[in-house]
């Protein structure tokens, strides 16, 4: 079977960091800009996330995700610059249209936060085998059933992508136009949704059956297939990230 | 007349791993078998001809159309492909709809498409299942549905990728009949297949692929007379040919019928 996952196999230090630390990093990257709602903090944390992603050598694989994110953020930027309720200071005028300073900076802060959140998740998803992530969580005491749910969620996107490729081939090989102009692609996309969802559901059913016959629901303690992996100083990294989170919270409270 | 020209075609799924290496082949109306071990590149070759994959080097012409320059969909009227795995081909929720899908796409009116689809289902003896969900059929039945869906479109070139998987004896015989029927109707039938007896019985020409290259190509009898070369590609002779070889006969026989005729001739003569 073709292995389907978003994970990109590279040699980088991020690939050697343990999954739990990456989850702590996501928490930190989301929490810090919320605790310190300033443009500078949002920007700084975003830059750190982007640098990490770059060091993980997976930037190229994530470009399509950013393409989509930018599309959304540009819309936000335009709308807020024009219509943000706190808009006071006009900076530019094009005929009837007035661009405001407050809305622009508000949108910019949102954009930095969104990019930051997306990037921190991308770091986890693109540099971690989903199996490793689930295994780490289960070792931490998560129930294997819940672990399975997480693993499935990780698989569903790439699985749908591969189902989409398969069905598109089936369609165009029997005369349905799916290539070329955007309008053609859009028209071809709608009839794709039904079959893709159906095919993914069928896969899920088969997988559930396969798990069932191998005793996934059997009572008793489960053991692990693999030896615990050697990650780069997991305890130290985890504690450092926890410390950052704690310090951020305490600092905020005593301020 | 040449229906398909494959000129110096190379292809790789992953950078640096050539799956096809400068393959050149010409196809006329003769029925053709493509054989070779797993991973030899057979499916990749036919997907390229069908326009589902684009060669990164070389050129493929279907008639006078370059596959690089047109969409796969626009080739569908001329060239049909029955996928190796029917689960990759079937996506509709109803057998009849599945078979009608291609017909509607190439501009056949709904009523006519229905008639032709039902006729195709009768050909594979699945007319009674036309209102079922194809996913509830067995693998062998799904394969037959996917054959019907392509044959119904009546393209000039029809490619089968391992049509006999999961079929019992009766199923195999039915598929043989379909191939002969299409051949007689003047269609160009190309089939990827691992069953050498089937090859010997049904195809005029045989192409042997090995590690992304064409190892042998010619009239089926000639190909099966080159046992040493076939061994290189880990291929066996058809049963009758093995038997006659063991018996020390020099000719290459392809069908039991031929072989028996020869033996009878010897006994009498
Ligand atoms: N989508 C894909 N991505 C990467 N590699 C692939 C893909 N499809 C096929 N391959 C590889 O390309 C090579 C040729 O595959 P192909 O399917 O053309 O072989 P085949 O001759 O049809 O074999 P089989 O008899 O098993 O069907 C194999 O090594 C296969 O692993
Ligand atoms: Mg194949």
């Amino acid at each position: 079977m073709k292995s389907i996952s978003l994970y990109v196999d590279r040699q980088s230090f991020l690939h050697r960091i343990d999954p739990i630390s990456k989850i702590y990093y996501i928490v930190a990257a989301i929490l810090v800009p919320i605790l310190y709602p300033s443009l500078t903090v949002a920007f700084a944390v975003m830059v750190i996330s982007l640098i990490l992603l770059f060091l993980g050598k997976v930037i190229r694989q994530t470009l399509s995700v950013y393409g989509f994110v930018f599309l959304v953020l540009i819309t936000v930027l335009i709308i807020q610059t024009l219509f943000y309720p706190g808009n006071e200071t006009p900076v530019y005028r094009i005929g009837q249209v007035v661009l405001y300073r407050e809305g622009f900076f508000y949108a910019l802060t949102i954009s930095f936060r969104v990019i930051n959140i997306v990037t921190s998740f991308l770091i986890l998803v693109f540099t971690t085998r989903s199996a490793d992530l689930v295994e780490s969580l289960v070792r931490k005491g998560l129930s294997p059933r819940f672990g399975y749910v997480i693993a499935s969620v990780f698989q569903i996107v790439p699985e749908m992508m591969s189902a989409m490729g398969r069905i598109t081939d089936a369609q165009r090989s029997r005369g349905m136009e799916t290539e070329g102009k955007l309008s053609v692609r859009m028209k071809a996309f709608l009839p794709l949704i039904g079959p893709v969802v159906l095919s993914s559901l069928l896969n899920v059913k088969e997988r559930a059956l396969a798990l069932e016959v191998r005793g996934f629901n059997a009572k008793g303690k489960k053991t692990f297939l693999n030896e615990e992996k050697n990650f780069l100083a997991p305890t130290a990294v985890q504690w450092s990230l926890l410390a950052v989170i704690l310090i951020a919270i305490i600092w905020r409270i005593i301020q | 007349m040449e229906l398909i020209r494959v000129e110096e075609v190379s292809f790789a799924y992953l950078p640096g791993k050539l799956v096809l290496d400068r393959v050149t082949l010409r196809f006329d109306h003769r029925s053709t078998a493509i054989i070779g071990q797993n991973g030899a590149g057979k499916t990749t070759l036919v997907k390229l001809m069908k326009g589902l994959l684009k060669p990164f080097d070389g050129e493929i012409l279907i008639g006078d159309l370059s596959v690089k320059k047109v969409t796969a969909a626009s080739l569908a009227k001329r060239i049909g492909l029955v996928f190796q795995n029917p689960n990759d081909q079937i996506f509709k929720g109803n057998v009849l709809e599945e078979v009608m899908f291609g017909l509607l796409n190439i501009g056949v009116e709904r009523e006519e498409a229905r008639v032709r689809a039902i006729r195709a289902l009768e050909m594979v003896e699945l007319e009674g299942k036309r209102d079922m969900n194809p996913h509830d059929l067995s693998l062998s039945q799904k394969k037959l549905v996917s054959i019907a869906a392509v044959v119904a479109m009546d393209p000039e070139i029809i490619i089968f990728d391992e049509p006999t998987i999961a079929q019992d004896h009766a199923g195999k015989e039915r598929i043989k009949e379909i191939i002969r029927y299409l051949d007689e109707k003047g269609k160009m039938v190309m089939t990827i297949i691992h069953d050498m007896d089937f090859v010997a019985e049904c195809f005029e020409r045989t192409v042997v692929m090995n590690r992304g290259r064409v190892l042998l190509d010619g009239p089926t009898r000639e190909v099966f007379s080159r046992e040493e070369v076939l061994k290189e590609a880990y291929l066996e002779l058809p049963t009758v040919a093995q038997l006659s070889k063991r018996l020390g006969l020099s000719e290459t026989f392809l069908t039991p019928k031929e072989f028996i005729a020869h033996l009878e001739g010897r006994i009498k003569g």
Side-chain angles (χ1 to χ4, degrees):
Chain A
M1 210 181 97
K2 219 167 45 173
S3 94
I4 35 176
S5 122
L6 290 172
Y7 171 74
V8 184
D9 202 5
R10 287 283 148 80
Q11 299 288 335
S12 88
F13 92 94
L14 267 192
H15 285 74
R16 294 183 50 218
I17 296 283
D18 68 288
I20 306 285
S21 297
K22 289 174 192 162
I23 293 177
Y24 286 163
Y25 181 76
I26 294 177
V27 174
I30 294 175
L31 211 62
V32 171
I34 291 177
L35 292 175
Y36 302 90
S38 87
L39 190 66
T40 332
V41 174
F43 181 74
V45 182
M46 177 187 80
V47 169
I48 295 175
S49 295
L50 285 172
I51 290 175
L52 283 174
L53 190 66
F54 178 77
L55 292 177
K57 301 180 185 169
V58 289
I59 287 263
R60 209 159 45 84
Q61 284 71 19
T62 56
L63 286 182
S64 55
V65 179
Y66 282 113
F68 179 72
V69 170
F70 279 133
L71 203 71
V72 175
L73 289 181
I74 285 172
T75 323
V76 171
L77 199 70
I78 293 171
I79 292 177
Q80 296 296 346
T81 311
L82 297 175
F83 307 120
Y84 179 60
N87 275 346
E88 280 175 358
T89 334
V91 271
Y92 205 75
R93 207 178 276 275
I94 318 166
Q96 291 291 318
V97 187
V98 188
L99 306 181
Y100 290 95
R101 185 190 157 82
E102 288 80 6
F104 176 75
F105 280 105
Y106 177 67
L108 210 58
T109 317
I110 293 186
S111 303
F112 288 162
R113 282 197 203 155
V114 170
I115 293 173
N116 177 32
I117 292 173
V118 169
T119 308
S120 55
F121 272 101
L122 289 178
I123 291 173
L124 174 70
V125 172
F126 279 81
T127 67
T128 316
R129 276 182 217 279
S130 53
D132 285 349
L133 170 67
V134 172
E135 197 172 315
S136 304
L137 289 171
V138 174
R139 278 189 203 280
K140 280 253 164 188
L142 186 83
S143 95
R145 274 163 175 280
F146 201 69
Y148 173 67
V149 171
I150 294 181
S152 308
V153 171
F154 266 89
Q155 281 198 339
I156 229 160
V157 173
E159 197 157 287
M160 284 200 166
M161 272 156 62
S162 101
M164 212 165 330
R166 241 182 9 245
I167 292 166
T168 306
D169 272 359
Q171 291 177 330
R172 59 203 186 114
S173 80
R174 275 182 287 152
M176 185 168 147
E177 285 295 351
T178 58
E179 302 159 81
K181 281 190 303 197
L182 191 67
S183 59
V184 175
R185 283 166 196 256
M186 292 294 268
K187 227 174 93 191
F189 185 71
L190 288 179
L192 207 58
I193 299 170
V196 166
V197 172
L198 180 70
S199 137
S200 308
L201 287 180
L202 283 170
N203 279 342
V204 170
K205 188 186 100 182
E206 302 230 327
R207 199 130 30 99
L209 282 175
L211 284 175
E212 193 65 45
V213 296
R214 291 182 209 169
F216 186 68
N217 283 330
K219 294 209 171 61
K221 200 168 146 45
K222 290 177 172 59
T223 51
F224 291 92
L225 177 62
N226 304 309
E227 295 269 323
E228 197 160 0
K229 267 202 180 172
N230 276 326
F231 289 109
L232 204 64
T235 348
V237 179
Q238 283 172 22
W239 278 110
S240 321
L241 284 164
L242 274 181
V244 169
I245 295 170
L246 281 177
I247 291 171
I249 294 173
I250 293 167
W251 194 277
R252 177 77 211 177
I253 292 169
I254 59 174
Q255 243 186 0
Chain B
M1 200 195 67
E2 271 165 6
L3 289 169
I4 307 176
R5 289 172 54 179
V6 178
E7 301 282 353
E8 293 274 313
V9 164
S10 298
F11 183 83
Y13 290 98
L14 305 169
K17 276 194 183 167
L18 274 188
V19 170
L20 291 179
D21 187 6
R22 282 164 290 148
V23 171
T24 297
L25 283 166
R26 307 269 166 94
F27 295 95
D28 50 28
H29 266 99
R30 280 178 298 166
S31 59
T32 302
I34 299 182
I35 61 177
Q37 6 162 203
N38 294 132
K42 308 179 294 294
T43 299
T44 307
L45 177 67
V46 298
K47 280 191 174 169
L48 283 160
M49 293 184 205
K50 182 75 185 136
L52 294 176
L53 301 172
K54 303 283 176 198
F56 76 54
D57 209 8
E59 171 111 85
I60 297 179
L61 295 166
I62 305 295
D64 47 8
L65 283 179
S66 164
V67 170
K68 269 186 188 164
K69 296 197 180 101
V70 296
T71 60
S74 64
L75 288 171
K77 240 179 183 164
R78 289 200 186 187
I79 178 166
L81 168 65
V82 179
F83 287 14
Q84 180 163 1
N85 181 352
N87 293 324
D88 290 347
Q89 188 183 325
I90 292 172
F91 61 92
K92 288 271 176 186
N94 169 291
V95 170
L96 188 60
E97 288 286 321
E98 178 69 35
V99 181
M100 282 170 69
F101 175 79
L103 289 162
L104 296 175
N105 279 325
I106 57 171
V108 178
E109 291 298 326
R110 202 165 175 91
E111 249 332 286
E112 154 120 27
R114 201 181 140 80
V115 173
R116 277 166 72 174
I118 290 175
R119 211 184 305 143
L121 283 171
E122 282 167 355
M123 177 190 74
V124 295
E125 294 176 24
L126 283 179
E127 208 273 322
K129 310 267 186 220
R130 73 183 191 202
D131 295 320
M132 279 183 69
N133 187 325
H135 295 289
D136 293 332
L137 299 176
S138 71
L139 185 64
S140 62
Q141 289 171 327
K142 281 189 214 171
K143 188 82 195 191
L144 291 169
V145 169
S146 65
I147 290 176
V150 173
V151 173
M153 292 171 75
D154 200 30
E156 194 179 7
I157 304 163
I158 301 185
I159 306 175
F160 296 96
D161 196 344
E162 294 184 30
T164 55
I165 49 163
Q167 301 293 336
D168 59 12
H169 182 71
K172 275 188 193 171
E173 289 303 313
R174 192 170 311 133
I175 287 166
K176 263 182 210 169
E177 258 170 49
I178 293 171
I179 289 176
R180 284 205 197 96
Y181 164 76
L182 292 171
D183 190 33
E184 276 163 24
K185 247 175 83 176
K187 304 286 175 196
M188 193 266 158
V189 185
M190 191 188 305
T191 304
I192 295 173
I193 185 129
H194 288 291
D195 178 339
M196 295 303 135
D197 293 341
F198 198 107
V199 176
E201 239 178 278
C202 294
F203 298 93
E204 274 181 76
R205 174 184 175 193
T206 297
V207 174
V208 182
M209 303 272 308
N210 188 37
R211 295 175 198 199
R213 289 174 181 238
V214 176
L215 190 66
L216 271 178
D217 176 13
T220 300
R221 193 181 308 276
E222 254 170 51
V223 166
F224 282 130
S225 66
R226 306 282 300 275
E227 200 187 359
E228 356 58 75
V229 188
L230 290 173
K231 260 195 189 138
E232 220 178 285
Y234 303 95
L235 292 170
E236 284 198 319
L237 293 180
T239 321
V240 187
Q242 285 185 33
L243 186 62
S244 52
K245 188 135 272 172
R246 287 276 184 87
L247 291 172
L249 303 174
S250 55
E251 298 98 313
T252 306
F253 296 99
L254 294 181
T255 62
K257 220 169 159 185
E258 274 180 19
F259 183 56
I260 291 167
H262 176 85
L263 288 185
E264 280 176 349
R266 276 201 161 192
I267 294 164
K268 284 182 191 141

